[in-house]
Amino acid sequence: MLIVTGYLYVAPAELARFMTHLKALANVTRQRDGNISYDAAVDDADTGRLLLSERWADQAALAAHLNADETVQFVNQWIGRMRADIRKYDALNERDLMED
């Protein structure tokens, strides 16, 4: 499993519009093969910072998402008006929170 997480930044004045577009992308993304979860939340509205959290079955599923028409259109629509600090992690030892 891959975990993708980090921050997205947009101008506070554009946050509502950005969230509308991101929610539409999320609805499509959650239906994609290999998607386990895809979530974003406003972390600080005053600075336009959002927290992004995604889980993917494997790299092929993530790559298909990143290259999908809807994802490319979203990025192209917001390029230059959003910035991201997002990282990808391999989850090799998944277990319940309370397990050692």
Side-chain angles (χ1 to χ4, degrees):
M1 176 176 55
L2 296 176
I3 298 170
V4 176
T5 189
Y7 293 102
L8 295 169
Y9 301 87
V10 296
E14 292 197 89
L15 186 57
R17 184 168 180 243
F18 182 83
M19 286 302 294
T20 298
H21 293 170
L22 185 58
K23 284 178 184 180
L25 176 62
N27 288 334
V28 171
T29 299
R30 290 182 184 123
Q31 304 306 311
R32 292 194 173 128
D33 288 339
N35 178 260
I36 299 167
S37 66
Y38 188 90
D39 300 287
V42 175
D43 184 55
D44 185 349
D46 292 338
T47 63
R49 183 173 68 188
L50 297 95
L51 177 62
L52 179 72
S53 175
E54 306 174 27
R55 292 185 299 150
W56 294 91
D58 53 34
Q59 181 59 46
L62 175 58
H65 160 66
L66 294 174
N67 292 309
D69 289 342
E70 296 89 354
T71 306
V72 171
Q73 289 172 359
F74 175 84
V75 171
N76 286 340
Q77 183 174 14
W78 286 94
I79 200 159
R81 296 185 296 149
M82 81 172 166
R83 145 177 97 77
D85 179 14
I86 299 172
R87 301 288 186 261
K88 173 177 65 174
Y89 302 90
D90 295 296
L92 303 175
N93 190 19
E94 181 182 2
R95 59 195 179 280
D96 286 336
L97 178 63
M98 299 309 287
E99 288 183 34
D100 289 336

